[in-house]
Amino acid sequence: DQQWVEEVDKKSAHFAIDAAYAHQPSRDDRLIVRSERPFTAEPPAQLLVREQNTANEIFYVRNHMPVPRIDEDEYELEIVDVHGNTLLQLSLEELQTQFEKSCVQTAIQCGGNRRTEMDEVQLVKGGVWGVGAIGNATWCGARLNDVLQYAAEQSGRDVKQVMRDVRHVCFEGLDRDVATDTHYEASVPVEVTEGSADVLLAYEMNGQRLGRDHGFPVRVVVPGVVGARHVKWVGTIRLSKVESESHWQQRDYRVVQTLDEAAYEAAPSIQYMPVVSAICDVQRRGKLVQLRGYAWSGSGSGVARVEVSCDDGKSWQAAELLPTGADAGEDLFAWRIWSAELRVEHARQVMCRAVDASYNAQPAHVRDVWNARGLVNNAWHR
Amino acid sequence: DQQWVEEVDKKSAHFAIDAAYAHQPSRDDRLIVRSERPFTAEPPAQLLVREQNTANEIFYVRNHMPVPRIDEDEYELEIVDVHGNTLLQLSLEELQTQFEKSCVQTAIQCGGNRRTEMDEVQLVKGGVWGVGAIGNATWCGARLNDVLQYAAEQSGRDVKQVMRDVRHVCFEGLDRDVATDTHYEASVPVEVTEGSADVLLAYEMNGQRLGRDHGFPVRVVVPGVVGARHVKWVGTIRLSKVESESHWQQRDYRVVQTLDEAAYEAAPSIQYMPVVSAICDVQRRGKLVQLRGYAWSGSGSGVARVEVSCDDGKSWQAAELLPTGADAGEDLFAWRIWSAELRVEHARQVMCRAVDASYNAQPAHVRDVWNARGLVNNAWHR
Ligand SMILES: [Mo]
Ligand SMILES: [Mo]
C-alpha cells in the first residue's frame, strides 16, 4: 500500500544522505563540534588568540552541506556571462599559472559568530556559536578581476562590455544537497568586486593548499564581507543582473526581527561586517587579570582602539594592539589580537569594546542588536 | 618704554584682525550663529529636514578664519608634486572647461556636530554645535583624479610615476590667519582618493556657484569624510609622503581622551564618519507624535534602517526612509530624511537610532563616545 512506498522512499532518502556524508575529512580533535550534518565547529577561544594567523587545523568550519570530494585534476571553474553563456572554463593548473598570485591577510567571520549570547535576550533561529566562528589567515590566489578580464578577452570581448549590465556576482559551490539537488550559492554586489580589497579565488591558506573543510581546491575570499559569501569549493561564477536567488542569499544572512517572507524581503543581505571584538582568554594572578582577545572591522578602515572595563563600563582602559606582521596598508582587513592587564578590586565582570578607524563603535548591549536569526552580534563582549 | 611698544603692537594686531574680517559675506538671518570670528553657524533643526538637499543659504558654515576675497579671474589652483615642484597651475575657467563635470549628492558633516550633548557628560573643548552642523547637497566639479592625471601629463610624466611615493594629499585653503600668516590646511590618505566615490574639486553646490561661505570659487568634496577635509577656497594641492602638518590635522579632528601631545599623536585623524542620526522635528497631535530627522553613514554603504522609541529604548518602531531623488547607487553618501509617527501613552523622551548597510549601529549613550574635543558624537539621539 501507499504507506509502504513512503517508508521505502524515506529510508532510501536517508541512505542517500548517509552516502553523501561518507568520506568526510578528518578533523582536529581540539575543535568544538557544533553540528555534525552539516559539519560546523569552532576552536576553543583561548587557542584562537595565541597567534595572529589562525592555524588551518583549528580554523572554524561552517559547512552547509556534505564536503564534496573533488579530484584536483578534474576540477573546473566556469565563468558564465549575464546571458547564461559560458565565457571560460579554467582548470586548477590554469588558475594557478596564468594569473598573478595575490595574497591578503584577512579575517573571515561567520554571520552567526557570538549568536548564543542573543538567546539570552530571546531565542533565535540558528546554530550555536561562541566567539570562535572567526579566524584570520593569509589567503593567496588569483584576483577575480584578473580572471574576469581574461574571460572577456578569451571570448573576444571587452571586459567593460561583459560587465555592463552586471549588478551582482554569484558564486556557486560544488557542495550539493542530495535531497533537493541544490548547490550552495551566494552573491556579492558588483561594487564589492570594485572595492579597495581584491576579491580572490584562493587556493592557498597560510601557505598550504586549502583543506577540504575550507574549500579545496578553490574558495572565494571577499575581505570584509560576511563568511557566507566566501563560497568554498567554487565551481561556477555567474555574472548577473540580480542577487543570487539561493535560500542562503534570500532567506538567511539577513537581519530580521520576524521570520516572515516580508521581513526577509525588506532586509538587505549582509555584506561588509561591522566592528567587533571578544575576550578569548582570561588569566588571574592575585588581583591582576590578564585579558587577551581579538578585534576586527569589515570596513577595511582598521581597528583604532580596544578598551577593557571591569566596573560595568564606568571606566575603560586601553588594550595593547599586537602587530599583524603584514606590511602597512596590507593588513586593513586583518583582525588585531590585543592584550590588557586589569587590576580588579572586587569580583566583577570583565568586558571589552573596539572602535574602528571610521569611529564606528560597538553597541553596549546584545538587546540593541538582537535579531530573529541571531546574526552580526557585535555588542560589547562580557 | 617696552610696555608702550607692546601696547601698540597689540593694538595694531587687533586692527589687522578687524581688517581681515572686513567684507565678510552677508548671511541668511535664519542661521543660528555659533561664533562670529571665525564665523560658524547652523540652521534651525526643523528647517534641515524639509528637503532632501539643504538650501545653500541655510547650509551650516564652519570657517576657521576670515572668508577670503577671491577674484574669480585671478583665481589659480596649483598642483605640487612630492618634491615640492609645481606640476600645474589652473585657472577657474580651465578647471571648468578642460575636465568632465562630475556630480555627487553627499552630506558633509562637521566633526563637532552634536558636540554640545557631550558637555552634559563632562565639558569638552570645542565650539557649540546642535544637530545642524551637517547638510546634504549635490556638488559638481572636476574629479581630483582627472586633474592629477592631467597635471602629470602636462609635466611630461606618467601619473603612476607622479603618485609613486605619495601617501597623503594635502589641500591648502586661501583663507589665512593674519596673526600667524597660516593658511588652513588638511589632508586625506591617498587611499581615500582611490575609494569608491570620486573626490571632487567642486565649483557648484545645488546647481549654483559656491557661495563665499562655502568656498567660492572651488572647494574639495570628499564623500563620507569629516567636513574638515573638504577644504574651502582651495588654492594648492600638495602631494605628500606625510599627513598635513597643520594644526587642524595634527592637534584637532582626532578623538582623544586628554589634551596632551601624546594623546593627539596616538590618535588617528578622523576621516570616514560613522553612522549617525538625529531627530530634527517633533509635532504632537493628541497622543500621536510626528517625528522627522536625518540619518547618514560616511561608509558609503547606505543607511539600512532608522528606528524610533518612546519607552527609553525598550521597544523600537521603524521609521520611513524618504527617497533621495538620486539614481540607484548614486546616493550612497547622501543622507536620508526619515519620518515616523509614534503613539505616546505617557510623557516620555523620544529617541532615534540608525543602522548602516554594514550593520554598524549607533552607540546608545553619549558617555560611550565621549572625548575631550567633543568630536564624532553618534550616540542615539534623544
Ligand atoms: Mo556564515
Ligand atoms: Mo568640522
Side-chain angles (χ1 to χ4, degrees):
Chain A
D1 60 7
Q2 187 56 28
Q3 203 189 333
W4 178 87
V5 173
E6 277 174 17
E7 284 294 327
V8 168
D9 285 358
K10 206 167 141 192
K11 202 86 188 162
S12 140
H14 272 292
F15 284 138
I17 292 168
D18 283 344
Y21 276 102
H23 308 288
Q24 294 300 284
S26 62
R27 278 115 186 182
D28 193 291
D29 59 15
R30 291 170 295 173
L31 283 171
I32 303 164
V33 177
R34 297 300 188 187
S35 74
E36 284 288 353
R37 291 182 175 189
F39 186 80
T40 66
E42 66 184 299
Q46 288 175 310
L47 283 193
L48 203 52
V49 291
R50 295 248 173 103
E51 290 172 290
Q52 173 66 13
N53 275 359
T54 313
N56 296 4
E57 309 81 57
I58 60 158
F59 203 99
Y60 87 91
V61 178
R62 194 320 183 204
N63 297 339
H64 294 84
M65 298 169 182
V67 175
R69 297 170 72 189
I70 299 170
D71 180 337
E72 63 186 296
D73 295 325
E74 285 171 19
Y75 171 81
E76 278 207 327
L77 176 63
E78 190 180 357
I79 317 289
V80 178
D81 76 6
V82 82
H83 308 292
N85 302 318
T86 299
L87 291 175
L88 184 69
Q89 284 183 307
L90 281 175
S91 70
L92 181 60
E93 201 194 332
E94 287 169 322
L95 190 76
Q96 291 174 331
T97 56
Q98 297 191 10
F99 304 92
E100 191 188 341
K101 179 170 150 181
S102 175
C103 297
V104 63
Q105 187 190 121
T106 182
I108 300 183
Q109 182 179 231
C110 178
N113 192 33
R114 297 182 52 197
R115 169 177 288 136
T116 301
E117 298 164 48
M118 284 204 183
D119 283 334
E120 290 164 29
V121 176
Q122 187 184 330
L123 275 183
V124 299
K125 179 186 169 191
V128 168
W129 284 121
V131 300
I134 183 173
N136 193 76
T138 299
W139 308 88
C140 299
R143 291 184 197 93
L144 172 65
N145 287 341
D146 290 351
V147 171
L148 293 179
Q149 170 93 34
Y150 181 76
E153 283 165 11
Q154 289 300 102
S155 66
R157 285 192 279 165
D158 179 77
V159 72
K160 277 193 184 158
Q161 190 196 333
V162 166
M163 296 303 286
R164 206 181 46 183
D165 296 325
V166 176
R167 304 307 318 143
H168 299 269
V169 180
C170 302
F171 305 109
E172 186 186 287
L174 292 165
D175 47 342
R176 173 175 161 270
D177 179 56
V178 287
T180 59
D181 194 27
T182 323
H183 289 261
Y184 183 78
E185 193 185 290
S187 65
V188 296
V190 72
E191 292 78 19
V192 169
T193 70
E194 298 160 347
S196 57
D198 290 317
V199 176
L200 295 187
L201 302 170
Y203 45 76
E204 267 184 35
M205 177 179 183
N206 292 329
Q208 298 163 34
R209 66 182 210 171
L210 294 181
R212 286 186 62 207
D213 265 331
H214 297 292
F216 176 81
V218 181
R219 84 174 296 175
V220 180
V221 171
V222 198
V225 158
V226 63
R229 319 296 172 212
H230 297 237
V231 174
K232 301 194 278 196
W233 318 288
V234 60
T236 307
I237 298 174
R238 224 184 306 279
L239 305 175
S240 174
K241 295 181 186 180
V242 294
E243 268 197 297
S244 167
E245 283 162 8
S246 78
H247 169 82
W248 303 277
Q249 194 79 24
Q250 299 292 334
R251 292 292 176 271
D252 198 350
Y253 302 109
R254 295 180 180 218
V255 171
V256 290
Q257 299 306 308
T258 54
L259 297 176
D260 51 294
E261 302 277 293
Y264 280 114
E265 273 153 32
S269 296
I270 302 168
Q271 299 289 354
Y272 290 108
M273 298 286 271
V275 60
V276 68
S277 66
I279 297 168
C280 294
D281 198 359
V282 183
Q283 304 282 347
R284 197 178 58 79
R285 256 173 294 157
K287 291 193 166 182
L288 285 184
V289 177
Q290 290 278 355
L291 300 175
R292 214 173 155 89
Y294 62 77
W296 183 60
S297 168
S299 70
S301 69
V303 171
R305 193 168 81 232
V306 174
E307 294 169 323
V308 294
S309 171
C310 62
D311 58 6
D312 208 35
K314 280 186 208 55
S315 68
W316 295 87
Q317 177 184 319
E320 184 193 358
L321 297 177
L322 307 186
T324 63
D327 288 339
E330 289 180 13
D331 54 4
L332 289 172
F333 290 91
W335 73 6
R336 300 296 294 271
I337 306 286
W338 56 264
S339 77
E341 189 174 78
L342 268 172
R343 171 170 290 276
V344 183
E345 292 299 336
H346 308 285
R348 294 281 197 171
Q349 199 173 30
V350 288
M351 48 211 253
C352 74
R353 65 179 189 186
V355 174
D356 73 15
S358 298
Y359 289 103
N360 277 299
Q362 297 180 234
H365 302 286
V366 174
R367 64 172 182 266
D368 295 336
V369 291
W370 185 94
N371 60 87
R373 295 302 301 267
L375 291 164
V376 204
N377 178 12
N378 73 328
W380 297 352
H381 187 236
R382 292 147 211 260
Chain B
D1 61 7
Q2 186 57 29
Q3 203 188 332
W4 178 86
V5 173
E6 277 174 18
E7 284 294 327
V8 168
D9 285 359
K10 207 167 142 189
K11 200 87 186 158
S12 138
H14 273 292
F15 285 137
I17 291 169
D18 283 343
Y21 275 103
H23 308 289
Q24 294 300 283
S26 63
R27 279 116 186 182
D28 193 292
D29 59 14
R30 292 170 296 175
L31 284 171
I32 304 163
V33 176
R34 297 301 189 186
S35 74
E36 285 288 352
R37 292 183 175 190
F39 186 79
T40 67
E42 66 184 299
Q46 288 176 310
L47 284 192
L48 203 53
V49 290
R50 295 247 172 104
E51 290 172 291
Q52 173 66 13
N53 274 359
T54 313
N56 295 6
E57 309 81 56
I58 60 159
F59 204 99
Y60 87 91
V61 178
R62 196 315 183 208
N63 297 339
H64 293 84
M65 297 167 180
V67 175
R69 296 170 72 189
I70 299 170
D71 179 337
E72 63 186 298
D73 295 326
E74 285 173 17
Y75 172 79
E76 277 207 327
L77 176 63
E78 190 179 0
I79 317 290
V80 177
D81 78 5
V82 83
H83 307 292
N85 302 318
T86 299
L87 291 176
L88 184 68
Q89 282 183 308
L90 282 174
S91 70
L92 180 60
E93 199 194 332
E94 287 169 322
L95 190 77
Q96 292 175 331
T97 57
Q98 297 191 11
F99 304 93
E100 192 188 341
K101 178 168 150 182
S102 175
C103 296
V104 63
Q105 187 190 120
T106 183
I108 300 183
Q109 183 180 230
C110 177
N113 192 32
R114 297 182 52 197
R115 169 178 286 135
T116 301
E117 297 164 49
M118 284 204 184
D119 283 334
E120 290 164 30
V121 176
Q122 187 184 332
L123 276 183
V124 300
K125 180 188 170 190
V128 168
W129 284 121
V131 300
I134 183 172
N136 194 76
T138 299
W139 307 89
C140 299
R143 290 184 199 92
L144 171 66
N145 287 340
D146 290 351
V147 172
L148 293 179
Q149 171 92 33
Y150 180 76
E153 283 165 11
Q154 290 300 103
S155 66
R157 284 192 278 166
D158 180 76
V159 71
K160 278 194 181 154
Q161 191 197 331
V162 167
M163 296 303 287
R164 207 181 45 183
D165 295 326
V166 177
R167 305 307 318 142
H168 299 269
V169 180
C170 303
F171 305 109
E172 186 186 286
L174 292 164
D175 47 340
R176 174 175 159 271
D177 180 57
V178 288
T180 59
D181 193 27
T182 322
H183 288 262
Y184 184 78
E185 192 185 291
S187 65
V188 297
V190 73
E191 292 78 18
V192 169
T193 70
E194 297 160 348
S196 57
D198 290 315
V199 176
L200 296 187
L201 303 170
Y203 44 76
E204 267 184 36
M205 177 180 184
N206 291 329
Q208 298 162 34
R209 66 182 210 170
L210 295 181
R212 286 186 62 206
D213 264 331
H214 297 292
F216 176 81
V218 181
R219 85 176 292 176
V220 180
V221 171
V222 199
V225 159
V226 63
R229 318 297 170 213
H230 297 237
V231 175
K232 301 194 279 194
W233 317 289
V234 59
T236 307
I237 298 174
R238 223 184 308 277
L239 305 175
S240 174
K241 295 182 186 179
V242 295
E243 269 197 298
S244 166
E245 284 163 9
S246 78
H247 170 81
W248 303 276
Q249 194 78 23
Q250 299 292 333
R251 292 293 177 268
D252 198 351
Y253 301 109
R254 296 181 179 218
V255 171
V256 290
Q257 299 306 308
T258 53
L259 297 176
D260 51 294
E261 303 277 293
Y264 280 114
E265 272 154 33
S269 296
I270 301 169
Q271 299 289 354
Y272 290 108
M273 297 286 271
V275 59
V276 69
S277 66
I279 298 168
C280 294
D281 198 0
V282 182
Q283 303 284 345
R284 197 177 58 79
R285 255 174 295 159
K287 290 194 165 180
L288 286 183
V289 177
Q290 291 277 358
L291 299 174
R292 216 173 153 90
Y294 61 77
W296 183 60
S297 169
S299 71
S301 69
V303 171
R305 194 169 78 231
V306 174
E307 294 169 322
V308 294
S309 172
C310 61
D311 58 5
D312 209 34
K314 281 186 207 56
S315 68
W316 294 88
Q317 177 184 318
E320 185 193 356
L321 296 177
L322 306 186
T324 62
D327 288 340
E330 289 179 13
D331 55 4
L332 289 171
F333 290 91
W335 73 6
R336 299 297 294 271
I337 305 287
W338 56 264
S339 77
E341 188 175 77
L342 267 172
R343 170 170 290 276
V344 183
E345 292 298 337
H346 307 284
R348 294 280 197 169
Q349 198 173 32
V350 289
M351 47 210 257
C352 74
R353 66 180 189 185
V355 175
D356 72 16
S358 296
Y359 289 102
N360 277 299
Q362 296 180 235
H365 302 287
V366 174
R367 63 172 182 268
D368 295 335
V369 291
W370 185 93
N371 60 87
R373 295 302 300 268
L375 291 164
V376 205
N377 177 12
N378 73 329
W380 298 350
H381 187 236
R382 294 146 211 261

